[in-house]
Amino acid sequence: MFRCEIVSEPARFRTLSKEWSRLHRACGATVFSLHALLVAKIETSLEKRRALHTVVLWQGDRMVGAACLARRRAKIGRKLPFRAMKLTFLDQFDIGSNDILLDPEVPSVAEAMVQAVYSQRDVSVVDLFPLSSEAGGPAFLAAARAAGRVLAERDEIQSSLINLTGGAEGFLSRRSPKTRETLRKKMRRAQAQGFEFVRARAGDRNAQAVLAEALEMSFKSWKAAYGTNIGARAEERGFLHRMVAWPPKDCAFCVDILRKDGEAVAFAITVHYGGRAYGLITDYDAAYYKESLGLVACVQAIYDAADAGCTVFDTLRLSSLTDSIGDTTEALTRCHIRTRWNLAAGVVLFEVGLRRLIDWSGPRAKRPQGRRKFLTQGVTGQ
């Protein structure tokens, strides 16, 4: 009924534009699975440790399912140093989330995609993260559970969603009186002498220079001490510069920088698509931690999104900067799927059991900001 094609060459992936875009619109997927954006990611991010392995399902000449995946040899879990070949999303940990595209009008396509994913040769385990709840994600997970292939499933990250109905004033009106006054006070302070907001959109003459300034500032952030600042990653810098230079159709990439005495101290990078704004990166100079300049940059990006007509601002990662200003939350899921019973599957189950023990016993890893907020955890299988 379905024909499965594995796309491992970037040139072949480029030719899928028309059908990929049709399927993307049909299933209501997010900005992060746009064909043009994925092409940019492929051409700026692939390296020797990660090989393109896109799974595409065809029904005749019609694309009915797609997942932009990659093969990589890497650690299976966090505690054990066991490495094996696994199948992941192309963009597993960096910017945004991931979708599985499934045509909502085609019966059994979710079951066919699950079978296609776990039947890949020489793959020990499938590790899908972060999987959004949009497009075909829920149907894919339901089919994987029904097939008895889910080793572990965990809603691992929460995203804070901010309602922008009514613009900036509408956003403020839905906050508590205390939060509303705090935000206004901080925003007024950022308008004092010595402070300056600079905003650049993709296509502006100064956009590349403003983006470079923001990424350079990331080396002064708290993330720099942990090696997680985006500015230190050549592939992420290249991807962002490319998006600012050639944004996909109907997308707007925006960079907001807050300067103090002419020097960047905080920034926010957002993308607007389909009436929704996504906060890709928010960062600030660690020397100004007590002044909450990261929150100021984030709120300015929210105001700009409201002015641009966006109705929702998705922070993508719930953190101390955004946990008090969101209206609802949305979960991003991690799902391990077994290809067969092997050592890799055993390592995944051991890791799940160990994490349950840690959660039960009480110890928590401490980081200054951005700790992932776990929601639920489950283990199934046959």
Side-chain angles (χ1 to χ4, degrees):
M1 184 178 180
F2 302 105
R3 175 173 61 89
C4 178
E5 178 186 4
I6 303 301
V7 178
S8 57
E9 295 296 330
R12 170 56 180 156
F13 189 89
R14 273 186 169 276
T15 68
L16 301 176
S17 175
K18 184 177 180 180
E19 275 296 301
W20 190 286
S21 298
R22 181 200 56 78
L23 180 59
H24 185 276
R25 291 191 299 270
C27 62
T30 69
V31 64
F32 301 108
S33 55
L34 282 172
H35 184 265
L37 189 145
L38 290 172
V39 167
K41 199 68 179 171
I42 289 168
E43 295 183 354
T44 58
S45 301
L46 285 180
E47 13 85 353
K48 294 180 180 178
R49 293 177 289 105
R50 176 171 50 182
L52 180 65
H53 199 84
T54 298
V55 179
V56 180
L57 295 181
W58 298 91
Q59 192 174 56
D61 295 331
R62 182 184 178 90
M63 184 187 295
V64 295
C68 191
L69 306 177
R71 288 164 57 96
R72 64 182 86 200
R73 185 169 294 278
K75 286 178 63 176
I76 295 297
R78 296 181 181 179
K79 301 298 182 182
L80 298 181
F82 178 74
R83 297 171 67 87
M85 183 63 72
K86 63 180 181 177
L87 201 60
T88 71
F89 285 116
L90 175 70
D91 192 1
Q92 190 179 21
F93 295 106
D94 302 326
I95 294 175
S97 58
N98 301 278
D99 297 311
I100 293 178
L101 309 184
L102 299 174
D103 193 322
E105 297 181 358
V106 178
S108 305
V109 67
E111 291 78 3
M113 178 60 76
V114 169
Q115 184 174 3
V117 166
Y118 70 63
S119 62
Q120 299 304 307
R121 289 184 56 192
D122 304 324
V123 172
S124 296
V125 69
V126 182
D127 180 5
L128 300 180
F129 170 79
L131 174 62
S132 80
S133 59
E134 305 297 323
F140 176 88
L141 288 178
R145 295 186 204 108
R149 291 284 174 169
V150 177
L151 282 170
E153 183 182 340
R154 185 184 182 92
D155 288 340
E156 189 157 329
I157 292 179
Q158 281 184 302
S159 174
S160 178
L161 302 183
I162 299 167
N163 182 358
L164 297 183
T165 303
E169 287 304 314
F171 155 70
L172 287 173
S173 70
R174 285 183 286 275
R175 311 282 72 79
S176 68
K178 181 178 180 180
T179 299
R180 186 163 58 242
E181 179 56 32
T182 298
L183 292 178
R184 284 177 169 156
K185 181 178 180 180
K186 292 182 184 299
M187 297 305 290
R188 285 196 301 267
R189 185 175 182 182
Q191 296 170 359
Q193 185 175 3
F195 285 98
E196 175 193 20
F197 265 113
V198 176
R199 186 162 201 255
R201 289 169 58 98
D204 293 350
R205 293 181 61 183
N206 66 334
Q208 296 290 357
V210 172
L211 176 60
E213 181 182 3
L215 295 177
E216 192 63 28
M217 195 237 78
S218 71
F219 286 93
K220 299 179 182 179
S221 71
W222 66 268
K223 298 176 186 176
Y226 295 88
T228 59
N229 57 312
I230 296 296
R233 304 177 191 174
E235 62 183 44
E236 294 302 334
R237 291 178 73 109
F239 170 73
L240 290 170
H241 277 290
R242 175 163 171 163
M243 287 296 96
V244 167
W246 302 290
K249 184 180 179 182
D250 300 325
C251 282
F253 277 78
C254 311
V255 185
D256 289 287
I257 283 184
L258 177 62
R259 292 174 181 159
K260 184 176 183 181
D261 299 325
E263 184 176 352
V265 292
F267 72 89
I269 301 176
T270 58
V271 59
H272 301 171
Y273 175 75
R276 189 165 178 145
Y278 299 85
L280 299 184
I281 309 169
T282 301
D283 220 338
Y284 57 90
D285 189 328
Y288 297 93
Y289 167 68
K290 293 184 178 180
E291 297 185 39
S292 302
L293 297 185
L295 178 60
V296 170
C298 180
V299 172
Q300 185 62 43
I302 293 170
Y303 287 174
D304 291 339
D307 291 342
C310 294
T311 57
V312 175
F313 190 98
D314 186 343
T315 64
L316 293 176
R317 302 291 187 271
L318 183 62
S319 70
S320 59
L321 292 180
T322 59
D323 59 3
S324 64
I325 60 176
D327 294 287
T328 58
T329 58
E330 187 173 80
L332 297 176
T333 302
R334 179 172 219 140
C335 178
H336 281 94
I337 296 175
R338 66 176 178 87
T339 58
R340 56 192 180 278
W341 288 117
N342 52 20
L343 183 56
V347 171
V348 171
L349 293 178
F350 174 82
E351 289 270 342
V352 170
L354 181 61
R355 181 170 286 174
R356 281 180 165 174
L357 178 62
I358 292 174
D359 289 346
W360 173 79
S361 62
R364 295 290 186 274
K366 294 183 179 179
R367 295 178 60 183
Q369 298 282 348
R371 184 176 64 84
R372 291 175 180 164
K373 298 193 175 184
F374 301 112
L375 300 176
T376 58
Q377 178 174 292
V379 181
T380 62
Q382 63 180 20

